[in-house]
Amino acid sequence: MSGALDDTSSAPYYIQIVGNIRYDIDSGKLHEGDKLPSEKQLCDLYHVSRVTVRHALDELAEAGYLEKRQGKGTFVKSTRCLSITQNYHQGDTASFTDMCEAAGYTPGSREVGLEHRAPTGEEVRALEISPDDTVMVLRRLRTANDVSIMYEENVFPLEPYQFIEQADLSNQSLYQLIAQKTGQIPSLEGACNLRSMQATGWLSELLQVPTGEPLFVLKVGYCDQDGRPMYIGTQYIIGARYSFAL
């Protein structure tokens, strides 16, 4: 089981334990019917009090993940193991929504933030805009069957994409919204960079994964049908729930 709680995190210990056990269930490390270690064993694993462990187990039981059986222990009640595959080809325009639905999952999204700011030098070059222009940064958490898959940041020139501010992006495809409003379909014709990192701090809290969990970081430039830059997307993807087919 995942261990090692993060003393620097603002999340209470019981929340971190909830995230660790949920991740073990979501990723398939724990299966339906598996018995969890005893409360004392969990206390020793996480170096916390029994009250803290019991609080975490109660939260998971109420959420339907665990089942407490009198005199027998605590068992996994529901598994939420899933995996999404992105078939990457130059110009491929399959959205996260499309990939979820193709895999039989229900896509979801939650807006984390939206801001206006001056562009960086890299953004000026990639988006072919002026340093005096303003960019809009949209941050969202993407889910499948209510399970966290990725956190994404998309950087747009404020014009002509200001309509995004007024749109309800809850559980909506950004690709589809842009196509509806502009008639342009984003394609992966810009620069693409894939690397790995470990989840820490606020990112592990947002994705509900243990500190140190492997993530893919995918940075992509999107263009329209005529090859003009549209926006830049950076995705922080939980590696155990996502794969790439090249």
Side-chain angles (χ1 to χ4, degrees), residues 111-157:
E111 187 173 317
V112 177
L114 189 148
E115 68 167 324
H116 295 176
R117 61 167 171 78
T120 65
E122 179 185 3
E123 290 163 354
V124 167
R125 293 187 293 273
L127 296 174
E128 298 180 3
I129 58 177
S130 165
D132 297 326
D133 288 339
T134 299
V135 295
M136 176 174 58
V137 185
L138 173 66
R139 302 180 174 92
R140 294 198 297 171
L141 178 68
R142 307 307 307 275
T143 63
N145 287 3
D146 295 324
V147 175
S148 299
I149 302 295
M150 71 174 70
Y151 162 72
E152 65 178 13
E153 295 183 353
N154 294 306
V155 181
F156 299 84

mmCIF file of all heavy atoms in Angstrom, residues 111-157:
data_model
loop_
_atom_site.group_PDB
_atom_site.id
_atom_site.type_symbol
_atom_site.label_atom_id
_atom_site.label_comp_id
_atom_site.label_asym_id
_atom_site.label_seq_id
_atom_site.Cartn_x
_atom_site.Cartn_y
_atom_site.Cartn_z
ATOM 1 N N GLU A 111 -13.432 23.437 -13.366
ATOM 2 C CA GLU A 111 -12.551 24.581 -13.541
ATOM 3 C C GLU A 111 -11.825 24.883 -12.239
ATOM 4 O O GLU A 111 -12.438 25.013 -11.180
ATOM 5 C CB GLU A 111 -13.343 25.800 -14.006
ATOM 6 C CG GLU A 111 -12.466 26.988 -14.372
ATOM 7 C CD GLU A 111 -13.238 28.145 -14.983
ATOM 8 O OE1 GLU A 111 -14.123 27.886 -15.841
ATOM 9 O OE2 GLU A 111 -12.976 29.296 -14.597
ATOM 10 N N VAL A 112 -10.500 24.999 -12.327
ATOM 11 C CA VAL A 112 -9.677 25.285 -11.154
ATOM 12 C C VAL A 112 -9.331 26.762 -11.087
ATOM 13 O O VAL A 112 -9.162 27.331 -10.010
ATOM 14 C CB VAL A 112 -8.396 24.430 -11.184
ATOM 15 C CG1 VAL A 112 -7.476 24.763 -10.012
ATOM 16 C CG2 VAL A 112 -8.753 22.946 -11.174
ATOM 17 N N GLY A 113 -9.261 27.405 -12.246
ATOM 18 C CA GLY A 113 -8.943 28.828 -12.258
ATOM 19 C C GLY A 113 -8.883 29.378 -13.667
ATOM 20 O O GLY A 113 -8.734 28.628 -14.641
ATOM 21 N N LEU A 114 -9.014 30.698 -13.777
ATOM 22 C CA LEU A 114 -8.903 31.386 -15.067
ATOM 23 C C LEU A 114 -8.324 32.769 -14.796
ATOM 24 O O LEU A 114 -8.810 33.482 -13.910
ATOM 25 C CB LEU A 114 -10.251 31.471 -15.766
ATOM 26 C CG LEU A 114 -10.240 31.969 -17.214
ATOM 27 C CD1 LEU A 114 -11.356 31.315 -18.021
ATOM 28 C CD2 LEU A 114 -10.404 33.486 -17.280
ATOM 29 N N GLU A 115 -7.289 33.128 -15.537
ATOM 30 C CA GLU A 115 -6.665 34.436 -15.297
ATOM 31 C C GLU A 115 -6.192 35.061 -16.604
ATOM 32 O O GLU A 115 -5.974 34.367 -17.603
ATOM 33 C CB GLU A 115 -5.476 34.296 -14.340
ATOM 34 C CG GLU A 115 -4.298 33.537 -14.930
ATOM 35 C CD GLU A 115 -3.027 33.685 -14.109
ATOM 36 O OE1 GLU A 115 -2.801 34.784 -13.556
ATOM 37 O OE2 GLU A 115 -2.264 32.713 -14.014
ATOM 38 N N HIS A 116 -6.027 36.398 -16.583
ATOM 39 C CA HIS A 116 -5.402 37.135 -17.666
ATOM 40 C C HIS A 116 -4.011 37.547 -17.197
ATOM 41 O O HIS A 116 -3.823 37.917 -16.034
ATOM 42 C CB HIS A 116 -6.195 38.396 -18.003
ATOM 43 C CG HIS A 116 -7.557 38.146 -18.542
ATOM 44 N ND1 HIS A 116 -8.446 39.152 -18.819
ATOM 45 C CD2 HIS A 116 -8.205 36.988 -18.859
ATOM 46 C CE1 HIS A 116 -9.575 38.640 -19.268
ATOM 47 N NE2 HIS A 116 -9.440 37.329 -19.293
ATOM 48 N N ARG A 117 -3.047 37.497 -18.088
ATOM 49 C CA ARG A 117 -1.697 37.953 -17.755
ATOM 50 C C ARG A 117 -0.939 38.262 -19.034
ATOM 51 O O ARG A 117 -1.393 37.961 -20.152
ATOM 52 C CB ARG A 117 -0.956 36.898 -16.934
ATOM 53 C CG ARG A 117 -0.759 35.560 -17.626
ATOM 54 C CD ARG A 117 0.255 34.720 -16.869
ATOM 55 N NE ARG A 117 0.357 33.347 -17.340
ATOM 56 C CZ ARG A 117 1.010 32.975 -18.437
ATOM 57 N NH1 ARG A 117 1.606 33.888 -19.208
ATOM 58 N NH2 ARG A 117 1.066 31.689 -18.788
ATOM 59 N N ALA A 118 0.247 38.850 -18.868
ATOM 60 C CA ALA A 118 1.124 39.098 -20.005
ATOM 61 C C ALA A 118 1.738 37.780 -20.466
ATOM 62 O O ALA A 118 1.980 36.885 -19.647
ATOM 63 C CB ALA A 118 2.222 40.076 -19.610
ATOM 64 N N PRO A 119 1.990 37.619 -21.752
ATOM 65 C CA PRO A 119 2.571 36.358 -22.247
ATOM 66 C C PRO A 119 4.051 36.261 -21.917
ATOM 67 O O PRO A 119 4.752 37.272 -21.784
ATOM 68 C CB PRO A 119 2.356 36.450 -23.754
ATOM 69 C CG PRO A 119 2.359 37.922 -24.041
ATOM 70 C CD PRO A 119 1.709 38.573 -22.844
ATOM 71 N N THR A 120 4.521 35.030 -21.767
ATOM 72 C CA THR A 120 5.954 34.801 -21.639
ATOM 73 C C THR A 120 6.591 34.895 -23.026
ATOM 74 O O THR A 120 5.893 34.897 -24.052
ATOM 75 C CB THR A 120 6.236 33.415 -21.051
ATOM 76 O OG1 THR A 120 5.777 32.416 -21.992
ATOM 77 C CG2 THR A 120 5.522 33.221 -19.720
ATOM 78 N N GLY A 121 7.916 34.950 -23.069
ATOM 79 C CA GLY A 121 8.597 34.997 -24.352
ATOM 80 C C GLY A 121 8.298 33.769 -25.193
ATOM 81 O O GLY A 121 8.104 33.860 -26.414
ATOM 82 N N GLU A 122 8.247 32.605 -24.539
ATOM 83 C CA GLU A 122 7.934 31.361 -25.246
ATOM 84 C C GLU A 122 6.535 31.424 -25.851
ATOM 85 O O GLU A 122 6.312 30.983 -26.992
ATOM 86 C CB GLU A 122 8.034 30.176 -24.294
ATOM 87 C CG GLU A 122 7.699 28.838 -24.928
ATOM 88 C CD GLU A 122 7.680 27.698 -23.925
ATOM 89 O OE1 GLU A 122 7.875 27.957 -22.719
ATOM 90 O OE2 GLU A 122 7.452 26.547 -24.343
ATOM 91 N N GLU A 123 5.587 31.978 -25.098
ATOM 92 C CA GLU A 123 4.202 32.072 -25.591
ATOM 93 C C GLU A 123 4.090 33.065 -26.737
ATOM 94 O O GLU A 123 3.314 32.850 -27.682
ATOM 95 C CB GLU A 123 3.278 32.451 -24.430
ATOM 96 C CG GLU A 123 3.119 31.343 -23.406
ATOM 97 C CD GLU A 123 2.568 31.809 -22.071
ATOM 98 O OE1 GLU A 123 2.394 33.038 -21.876
ATOM 99 O OE2 GLU A 123 2.321 30.949 -21.213
ATOM 100 N N VAL A 124 4.852 34.145 -26.679
ATOM 101 C CA VAL A 124 4.857 35.119 -27.778
ATOM 102 C C VAL A 124 5.283 34.442 -29.072
ATOM 103 O O VAL A 124 4.665 34.614 -30.129
ATOM 104 C CB VAL A 124 5.797 36.309 -27.450
ATOM 105 C CG1 VAL A 124 6.053 37.153 -28.706
ATOM 106 C CG2 VAL A 124 5.196 37.170 -26.351
ATOM 107 N N ARG A 125 6.332 33.640 -28.975
ATOM 108 C CA ARG A 125 6.850 32.959 -30.177
ATOM 109 C C ARG A 125 5.898 31.860 -30.649
ATOM 110 O O ARG A 125 5.608 31.752 -31.847
ATOM 111 C CB ARG A 125 8.232 32.380 -29.889
ATOM 112 C CG ARG A 125 9.312 33.427 -29.644
ATOM 113 C CD ARG A 125 10.683 32.789 -29.524
ATOM 114 N NE ARG A 125 10.792 31.954 -28.330
ATOM 115 C CZ ARG A 125 11.155 32.406 -27.129
ATOM 116 N NH1 ARG A 125 11.437 33.685 -26.969
ATOM 117 N NH2 ARG A 125 11.252 31.581 -26.113
ATOM 118 N N ALA A 126 5.406 31.050 -29.720
ATOM 119 C CA ALA A 126 4.578 29.907 -30.107
ATOM 120 C C ALA A 126 3.219 30.338 -30.639
ATOM 121 O O ALA A 126 2.681 29.712 -31.561
ATOM 122 C CB ALA A 126 4.399 28.974 -28.917
ATOM 123 N N LEU A 127 2.650 31.384 -30.057
ATOM 124 C CA LEU A 127 1.313 31.833 -30.461
ATOM 125 C C LEU A 127 1.363 32.925 -31.522
ATOM 126 O O LEU A 127 0.310 33.359 -32.014
ATOM 127 C CB LEU A 127 0.542 32.338 -29.229
ATOM 128 C CG LEU A 127 0.253 31.280 -28.149
ATOM 129 C CD1 LEU A 127 -0.370 31.934 -26.917
ATOM 130 C CD2 LEU A 127 -0.667 30.193 -28.698
ATOM 131 N N GLU A 128 2.572 33.386 -31.831
ATOM 132 C CA GLU A 128 2.776 34.443 -32.843
ATOM 133 C C GLU A 128 1.958 35.680 -32.485
ATOM 134 O O GLU A 128 1.171 36.201 -33.284
ATOM 135 C CB GLU A 128 2.414 33.919 -34.236
ATOM 136 C CG GLU A 128 3.289 32.753 -34.668
ATOM 137 C CD GLU A 128 2.949 32.227 -36.051
ATOM 138 O OE1 GLU A 128 2.059 32.798 -36.712
ATOM 139 O OE2 GLU A 128 3.568 31.233 -36.475
ATOM 140 N N ILE A 129 2.146 36.139 -31.234
ATOM 141 C CA ILE A 129 1.458 37.331 -30.753
ATOM 142 C C ILE A 129 2.491 38.371 -30.337
ATOM 143 O O ILE A 129 3.695 38.098 -30.306
ATOM 144 C CB ILE A 129 0.528 37.012 -29.566
ATOM 145 C CG1 ILE A 129 1.327 36.370 -28.417
ATOM 146 C CG2 ILE A 129 -0.605 36.090 -30.008
ATOM 147 C CD1 ILE A 129 0.506 36.076 -27.181
ATOM 148 N N SER A 130 2.011 39.559 -29.973
ATOM 149 C CA SER A 130 2.887 40.630 -29.526
ATOM 150 C C SER A 130 3.133 40.523 -28.024
ATOM 151 O O SER A 130 2.245 40.088 -27.277
ATOM 152 C CB SER A 130 2.243 41.987 -29.844
ATOM 153 O OG SER A 130 2.882 43.035 -29.131
ATOM 154 N N PRO A 131 4.302 40.953 -27.547
ATOM 155 C CA PRO A 131 4.551 40.970 -26.095
ATOM 156 C C PRO A 131 3.558 41.853 -25.344
ATOM 157 O O PRO A 131 3.371 41.691 -24.130
ATOM 158 C CB PRO A 131 5.975 41.522 -25.982
ATOM 159 C CG PRO A 131 6.610 41.220 -27.303
ATOM 160 C CD PRO A 131 5.501 41.335 -28.310
ATOM 161 N N ASP A 132 2.920 42.783 -26.069
ATOM 162 C CA ASP A 132 1.937 43.676 -25.441
ATOM 163 C C ASP A 132 0.543 43.056 -25.376
ATOM 164 O O ASP A 132 -0.358 43.629 -24.746
ATOM 165 C CB ASP A 132 1.864 45.004 -26.195
ATOM 166 C CG ASP A 132 3.184 45.767 -26.154
ATOM 167 O OD1 ASP A 132 3.874 45.672 -25.111
ATOM 168 O OD2 ASP A 132 3.517 46.427 -27.147
ATOM 169 N N ASP A 133 0.356 41.924 -26.027
ATOM 170 C CA ASP A 133 -0.947 41.254 -25.992
ATOM 171 C C ASP A 133 -1.185 40.616 -24.622
ATOM 172 O O ASP A 133 -0.263 40.477 -23.807
ATOM 173 C CB ASP A 133 -1.027 40.175 -27.072
ATOM 174 C CG ASP A 133 -1.150 40.754 -28.470
ATOM 175 O OD1 ASP A 133 -1.572 41.918 -28.584
ATOM 176 O OD2 ASP A 133 -0.798 40.041 -29.432
ATOM 177 N N THR A 134 -2.439 40.232 -24.392
ATOM 178 C CA THR A 134 -2.816 39.551 -23.148
ATOM 179 C C THR A 134 -3.196 38.112 -23.463
ATOM 180 O O THR A 134 -3.843 37.835 -24.479
ATOM 181 C CB THR A 134 -4.016 40.260 -22.489
ATOM 182 O OG1 THR A 134 -3.639 41.602 -22.166
ATOM 183 C CG2 THR A 134 -4.456 39.544 -21.210
ATOM 184 N N VAL A 135 -2.776 37.195 -22.607
ATOM 185 C CA VAL A 135 -3.185 35.808 -22.759
ATOM 186 C C VAL A 135 -4.130 35.438 -21.619
ATOM 187 O O VAL A 135 -4.130 36.046 -20.549
ATOM 188 C CB VAL A 135 -1.986 34.832 -22.778
ATOM 189 C CG1 VAL A 135 -1.130 35.072 -24.000
ATOM 190 C CG2 VAL A 135 -1.167 34.922 -21.499
ATOM 191 N N MET A 136 -4.938 34.434 -21.885
ATOM 192 C CA MET A 136 -5.884 33.903 -20.904
ATOM 193 C C MET A 136 -5.447 32.481 -20.567
ATOM 194 O O MET A 136 -5.212 31.660 -21.455
ATOM 195 C CB MET A 136 -7.301 33.898 -21.492
ATOM 196 C CG MET A 136 -8.362 33.290 -20.610
ATOM 197 S SD MET A 136 -10.001 33.510 -21.348
ATOM 198 C CE MET A 136 -9.757 32.705 -22.929
ATOM 199 N N VAL A 137 -5.330 32.178 -19.280
ATOM 200 C CA VAL A 137 -4.901 30.854 -18.830
ATOM 201 C C VAL A 137 -6.079 30.161 -18.162
ATOM 202 O O VAL A 137 -6.613 30.643 -17.160
ATOM 203 C CB VAL A 137 -3.727 30.945 -17.834
ATOM 204 C CG1 VAL A 137 -3.234 29.546 -17.480
ATOM 205 C CG2 VAL A 137 -2.594 31.779 -18.411
ATOM 206 N N LEU A 138 -6.497 29.036 -18.739
ATOM 207 C CA LEU A 138 -7.612 28.243 -18.217
ATOM 208 C C LEU A 138 -7.060 26.987 -17.565
ATOM 209 O O LEU A 138 -6.313 26.227 -18.191
ATOM 210 C CB LEU A 138 -8.568 27.862 -19.352
ATOM 211 C CG LEU A 138 -9.701 26.888 -19.002
ATOM 212 C CD1 LEU A 138 -10.674 27.524 -18.015
ATOM 213 C CD2 LEU A 138 -10.428 26.433 -20.259
ATOM 214 N N ARG A 139 -7.423 26.760 -16.306
ATOM 215 C CA ARG A 139 -6.940 25.590 -15.562
ATOM 216 C C ARG A 139 -8.129 24.707 -15.219
ATOM 217 O O ARG A 139 -9.134 25.180 -14.672
ATOM 218 C CB ARG A 139 -6.209 26.024 -14.293
ATOM 219 C CG ARG A 139 -5.018 26.938 -14.568
ATOM 220 C CD ARG A 139 -4.315 27.345 -13.283
ATOM 221 N NE ARG A 139 -3.106 28.102 -13.555
ATOM 222 C CZ ARG A 139 -3.073 29.432 -13.642
ATOM 223 N NH1 ARG A 139 -4.183 30.133 -13.461
ATOM 224 N NH2 ARG A 139 -1.939 30.057 -13.901
ATOM 225 N N ARG A 140 -7.994 23.400 -15.523
ATOM 226 C CA ARG A 140 -9.101 22.465 -15.252
ATOM 227 C C ARG A 140 -8.577 21.130 -14.733
ATOM 228 O O ARG A 140 -7.481 20.695 -15.082
ATOM 229 C CB ARG A 140 -9.916 22.202 -16.529
ATOM 230 C CG ARG A 140 -10.659 23.400 -17.059
ATOM 231 C CD ARG A 140 -11.760 22.985 -18.035
ATOM 232 N NE ARG A 140 -11.232 22.330 -19.225
ATOM 233 C CZ ARG A 140 -12.010 21.730 -20.139
ATOM 234 N NH1 ARG A 140 -13.326 21.697 -19.973
ATOM 235 N NH2 ARG A 140 -11.479 21.176 -21.205
ATOM 236 N N LEU A 141 -9.407 20.471 -13.932
ATOM 237 C CA LEU A 141 -9.176 19.088 -13.515
ATOM 238 C C LEU A 141 -10.066 18.212 -14.367
ATOM 239 O O LEU A 141 -11.273 18.429 -14.443
ATOM 240 C CB LEU A 141 -9.526 18.913 -12.032
ATOM 241 C CG LEU A 141 -9.382 17.487 -11.480
ATOM 242 C CD1 LEU A 141 -7.921 17.081 -11.443
ATOM 243 C CD2 LEU A 141 -9.996 17.393 -10.082
ATOM 244 N N ARG A 142 -9.492 17.200 -15.022
ATOM 245 C CA ARG A 142 -10.247 16.313 -15.896
ATOM 246 C C ARG A 142 -10.411 14.958 -15.221
ATOM 247 O O ARG A 142 -9.460 14.406 -14.649
ATOM 248 C CB ARG A 142 -9.551 16.137 -17.246
ATOM 249 C CG ARG A 142 -9.205 17.432 -17.969
ATOM 250 C CD ARG A 142 -10.389 18.393 -18.132
ATOM 251 N NE ARG A 142 -11.544 17.775 -18.736
ATOM 252 C CZ ARG A 142 -11.735 17.658 -20.063
ATOM 253 N NH1 ARG A 142 -10.830 18.106 -20.901
ATOM 254 N NH2 ARG A 142 -12.845 17.105 -20.524
ATOM 255 N N THR A 143 -11.626 14.402 -15.317
ATOM 256 C CA THR A 143 -11.936 13.130 -14.659
ATOM 257 C C THR A 143 -12.606 12.164 -15.626
ATOM 258 O O THR A 143 -13.156 12.564 -16.656
ATOM 259 C CB THR A 143 -12.876 13.352 -13.459
ATOM 260 O OG1 THR A 143 -14.134 13.896 -13.923
ATOM 261 C CG2 THR A 143 -12.274 14.302 -12.444
ATOM 262 N N ALA A 144 -12.563 10.884 -15.268
ATOM 263 C CA ALA A 144 -13.302 9.832 -15.968
ATOM 264 C C ALA A 144 -14.011 9.011 -14.904
ATOM 265 O O ALA A 144 -13.372 8.519 -13.968
ATOM 266 C CB ALA A 144 -12.366 8.952 -16.784
ATOM 267 N N ASN A 145 -15.334 8.901 -15.018
ATOM 268 C CA ASN A 145 -16.133 8.224 -13.982
ATOM 269 C C ASN A 145 -15.846 8.804 -12.601
ATOM 270 O O ASN A 145 -15.764 8.099 -11.604
ATOM 271 C CB ASN A 145 -15.874 6.717 -13.975
ATOM 272 C CG ASN A 145 -16.503 6.011 -15.159
ATOM 273 O OD1 ASN A 145 -17.092 6.645 -16.035
ATOM 274 N ND2 ASN A 145 -16.397 4.705 -15.201
ATOM 275 N N ASP A 146 -15.657 10.141 -12.559
ATOM 276 C CA ASP A 146 -15.384 10.884 -11.317
ATOM 277 C C ASP A 146 -14.026 10.567 -10.708
ATOM 278 O O ASP A 146 -13.757 10.947 -9.565
ATOM 279 C CB ASP A 146 -16.484 10.643 -10.271
ATOM 280 C CG ASP A 146 -17.835 11.196 -10.701
ATOM 281 O OD1 ASP A 146 -17.838 12.261 -11.339
ATOM 282 O OD2 ASP A 146 -18.861 10.562 -10.395
ATOM 283 N N VAL A 147 -13.154 9.888 -11.437
ATOM 284 C CA VAL A 147 -11.803 9.595 -10.974
ATOM 285 C C VAL A 147 -10.840 10.579 -11.656
ATOM 286 O O VAL A 147 -10.884 10.757 -12.871
ATOM 287 C CB VAL A 147 -11.397 8.144 -11.311
ATOM 288 C CG1 VAL A 147 -9.947 7.882 -10.927
ATOM 289 C CG2 VAL A 147 -12.324 7.160 -10.608
ATOM 290 N N SER A 148 -9.973 11.218 -10.885
ATOM 291 C CA SER A 148 -9.035 12.191 -11.443
ATOM 292 C C SER A 148 -8.090 11.532 -12.437
ATOM 293 O O SER A 148 -7.527 10.478 -12.156
ATOM 294 C CB SER A 148 -8.223 12.842 -10.320
ATOM 295 O OG SER A 148 -9.051 13.540 -9.414
ATOM 296 N N ILE A 149 -7.918 12.185 -13.588
ATOM 297 C CA ILE A 149 -7.009 11.688 -14.621
ATOM 298 C C ILE A 149 -5.882 12.680 -14.870
ATOM 299 O O ILE A 149 -4.720 12.300 -14.942
ATOM 300 C CB ILE A 149 -7.748 11.426 -15.950
ATOM 301 C CG1 ILE A 149 -8.882 10.415 -15.748
ATOM 302 C CG2 ILE A 149 -6.769 10.943 -17.029
ATOM 303 C CD1 ILE A 149 -8.422 9.032 -15.354
ATOM 304 N N MET A 150 -6.211 13.948 -14.982
ATOM 305 C CA MET A 150 -5.185 14.939 -15.288
ATOM 306 C C MET A 150 -5.608 16.337 -14.833
ATOM 307 O O MET A 150 -6.792 16.636 -14.653
ATOM 308 C CB MET A 150 -4.889 14.980 -16.791
ATOM 309 C CG MET A 150 -6.006 15.576 -17.623
ATOM 310 S SD MET A 150 -5.589 15.781 -19.378
ATOM 311 C CE MET A 150 -5.525 14.080 -19.939
ATOM 312 N N TYR A 151 -4.585 17.173 -14.655
ATOM 313 C CA TYR A 151 -4.768 18.608 -14.461
ATOM 314 C C TYR A 151 -4.182 19.278 -15.694
ATOM 315 O O TYR A 151 -3.086 18.919 -16.146
ATOM 316 C CB TYR A 151 -4.045 19.068 -13.203
ATOM 317 C CG TYR A 151 -3.808 20.563 -13.127
ATOM 318 C CD1 TYR A 151 -4.855 21.444 -12.895
ATOM 319 C CD2 TYR A 151 -2.528 21.085 -13.286
ATOM 320 C CE1 TYR A 151 -4.635 22.815 -12.841
ATOM 321 C CE2 TYR A 151 -2.294 22.453 -13.218
ATOM 322 C CZ TYR A 151 -3.354 23.305 -12.991
ATOM 323 O OH TYR A 151 -3.140 24.661 -12.937
ATOM 324 N N GLU A 152 -4.911 20.235 -16.263
ATOM 325 C CA GLU A 152 -4.439 20.867 -17.494
ATOM 326 C C GLU A 152 -4.462 22.386 -17.391
ATOM 327 O O GLU A 152 -5.320 22.966 -16.713
ATOM 328 C CB GLU A 152 -5.278 20.417 -18.697
ATOM 329 C CG GLU A 152 -6.718 20.851 -18.649
ATOM 330 C CD GLU A 152 -7.513 20.434 -19.887
ATOM 331 O OE1 GLU A 152 -7.009 19.599 -20.656
ATOM 332 O OE2 GLU A 152 -8.627 20.960 -20.066
ATOM 333 N N GLU A 153 -3.491 23.005 -18.063
ATOM 334 C CA GLU A 153 -3.435 24.452 -18.197
ATOM 335 C C GLU A 153 -3.382 24.785 -19.679
ATOM 336 O O GLU A 153 -2.480 24.309 -20.387
ATOM 337 C CB GLU A 153 -2.202 25.019 -17.494
ATOM 338 C CG GLU A 153 -2.211 24.827 -15.986
ATOM 339 C CD GLU A 153 -1.008 25.470 -15.314
ATOM 340 O OE1 GLU A 153 -0.097 25.941 -16.043
ATOM 341 O OE2 GLU A 153 -0.977 25.521 -14.070
ATOM 342 N N ASN A 154 -4.336 25.580 -20.162
ATOM 343 C CA ASN A 154 -4.380 25.974 -21.565
ATOM 344 C C ASN A 154 -4.210 27.485 -21.669
ATOM 345 O O ASN A 154 -4.901 28.237 -20.973
ATOM 346 C CB ASN A 154 -5.709 25.560 -22.200
ATOM 347 C CG ASN A 154 -5.855 24.048 -22.271
ATOM 348 O OD1 ASN A 154 -5.002 23.362 -22.811
ATOM 349 N ND2 ASN A 154 -6.932 23.523 -21.717
ATOM 350 N N VAL A 155 -3.289 27.909 -22.516
ATOM 351 C CA VAL A 155 -2.973 29.328 -22.675
ATOM 352 C C VAL A 155 -3.454 29.797 -24.049
ATOM 353 O O VAL A 155 -3.005 29.274 -25.082
ATOM 354 C CB VAL A 155 -1.458 29.575 -22.528
ATOM 355 C CG1 VAL A 155 -1.152 31.071 -22.679
ATOM 356 C CG2 VAL A 155 -0.958 29.064 -21.181
ATOM 357 N N PHE A 156 -4.360 30.789 -24.054
ATOM 358 C CA PHE A 156 -4.954 31.323 -25.282
ATOM 359 C C PHE A 156 -4.616 32.809 -25.427
ATOM 360 O O PHE A 156 -4.545 33.522 -24.420
ATOM 361 C CB PHE A 156 -6.487 31.242 -25.237
ATOM 362 C CG PHE A 156 -7.057 29.871 -25.113
ATOM 363 C CD1 PHE A 156 -7.188 29.262 -23.867
ATOM 364 C CD2 PHE A 156 -7.499 29.184 -26.231
ATOM 365 C CE1 PHE A 156 -7.738 28.000 -23.744
ATOM 366 C CE2 PHE A 156 -8.063 27.923 -26.117
ATOM 367 C CZ PHE A 156 -8.165 27.323 -24.869
ATOM 368 N N PRO A 157 -4.487 33.299 -26.657
ATOM 369 C CA PRO A 157 -4.546 34.749 -26.844
ATOM 370 C C PRO A 157 -5.945 35.219 -26.409
ATOM 371 O O PRO A 157 -6.939 34.539 -26.694
ATOM 372 C CB PRO A 157 -4.353 34.924 -28.355
ATOM 373 C CG PRO A 157 -3.792 33.631 -28.835
ATOM 374 C CD PRO A 157 -4.306 32.573 -27.925
#
